[in-house]
Amino acid sequence: MNSNYSMGLPIAASTFAKDIDFGLKLIHVAMLVIFVLWGIFFAYLLVRYRRREGVAAQREDDHGLFSTSLIPDIVVLIFEIALISLYAIPVWSRIKIHSPKSQESNQVALVAEQFAWNVHYPGPDGKFGRRSPDLVHFSNPIGLDRDDPAAQDDVVGANELHLPLGKTTLIHLSSKDVIHSFFVPEFRLKQDAVPGLTIPVWVEPNRVGHYEITCAQLCGFAHSLMRGEVFVENPEEYQGWLKAQAAQAPEPAKAPSTW
């Protein structure tokens, strides 16, 4: 995974990563240009209006309705309005507001807890089995009810997320305890996992590879150890892996829980 990082941004491994990168680069270039121009302007003012012997400073109280000194501010304001209306809102809407339809997407549920990422795949039937807090046990961390017919082929794992290449995956993100933050830098994807909420996020990987999941929200004494891995595979490899896992899915033990 170290090869995913260099001096700049990590490699772009999702369909919307380049849109995010464009915004980051545009803002950094704009800030650099503004910084240089303001520096030149202030240097000019220091030289132009430097203290001189025999020349007293004069106050100008009447600047009229419009001052030429406002031109830089107006230019910056126009740039910011254009940045928000032409770039930020359209990209935000496409990525965050309009989630793909679940029936047209590969689906997975990601349940965060101190200090692990539990992954629940619906199995080859595409249906999630029922989950219950009463069934949560150290051998059944998400409380999956294996008596539910839809759960018979479900696959549950920890800290290992497999995704098919070139297909939209809808991730149902939740948390069992405190606020965590699901972050895969190569996808440019970050989303808080909040107890009591199931938050949909999506990604369409466009590059086969091995990436890292980190928790971007301080969540406890072992926060730094809350790491996982993402494996993006060709669709055939992904389906083969999923069927193999479903075939050997263990029978979780049922036990009462106080959670």
Side-chain angles (χ1 to χ4, degrees):
M1 287 184 282
N2 290 335
S3 61
N4 296 340
Y5 297 85
S6 60
M7 290 294 293
L9 293 167
I11 62 170
S14 71
T15 51
F16 53 69
K18 290 185 177 179
D19 292 333
I20 304 295
D21 292 354
F22 172 78
L24 292 174
K25 293 175 182 176
L26 177 63
I27 292 172
H28 279 79
V29 170
M31 292 301 103
L32 178 61
V33 171
I34 292 172
F35 175 78
V36 171
L37 291 179
W38 275 116
I40 294 174
F41 180 63
F42 282 122
Y44 164 76
L45 293 178
L46 288 173
V47 175
R48 176 68 177 80
Y49 298 104
R50 67 186 183 279
R51 181 178 180 277
R52 298 175 182 172
E53 291 294 336
V55 179
Q58 295 182 352
R59 178 188 177 92
E60 294 184 8
D61 294 325
D62 184 12
H63 296 281
L65 295 177
F66 180 79
S67 174
T68 54
S69 64
L70 292 177
I71 292 177
D73 300 298
I74 294 174
V75 172
V76 171
L77 179 62
I78 293 174
F79 169 74
E80 291 177 343
I81 292 175
L83 180 68
I84 293 172
S85 59
L86 300 180
Y87 166 74
I89 293 178
V91 172
W92 174 266
S93 176
R94 185 172 74 85
I95 297 175
K96 290 292 187 179
I97 304 300
H98 297 96
S99 295
K101 296 179 180 178
S102 57
Q103 59 270 27
E104 299 175 357
S105 307
N106 178 60
Q107 295 192 75
V108 61
L110 201 60
V111 183
E113 68 172 305
Q114 292 175 317
F115 298 95
W117 300 97
N118 298 296
V119 188
H120 180 192
Y121 303 88
D125 67 354
K127 299 179 181 178
F128 285 109
R130 189 179 73 88
R131 301 203 311 252
S132 171
D134 295 334
L135 299 178
V136 171
H137 186 259
F138 72 90
S139 63
N140 186 10
I142 64 170
L144 181 64
D145 183 1
R146 288 290 182 185
D147 292 333
D148 181 4
Q152 298 299 316
D153 62 348
D154 284 12
V155 175
V156 179
N159 300 323
E160 191 173 306
L161 176 62
H162 288 253
L163 299 176
L165 176 71
K167 184 174 179 59
T168 301
T169 293
L170 187 59
I171 302 172
H172 304 278
L173 187 62
S174 60
S175 172
K176 289 168 58 177
D177 38 43
V178 300
I179 296 176
H180 302 274
S181 185
F182 174 69
F183 184 30
V184 181
E186 292 88 343
F187 291 163
R188 311 293 190 269
L189 177 60
K190 180 191 288 184
Q191 175 61 57
D192 281 356
V194 182
L197 296 178
T198 298
I199 301 173
V201 294
W202 67 275
V203 64
E204 182 179 337
N206 61 1
R207 184 168 181 159
V208 171
H210 179 199
Y211 313 114
E212 184 179 39
I213 304 171
T214 62
C215 179
Q217 174 68 42
L218 183 61
C219 59
F221 73 97
H223 161 71
S224 62
L225 302 179
M226 189 170 171
R227 297 175 181 272
E229 297 174 290
V230 181
F231 296 89
V232 176
E233 301 155 323
N234 291 317
E236 297 78 14
E237 295 175 345
Y238 172 76
Q239 290 300 329
W241 174 86
L242 189 61
K243 290 180 180 178
Q245 296 298 313
Q248 58 183 0
E251 188 77 17
K254 297 180 181 179
S257 171
T258 57
W259 177 70

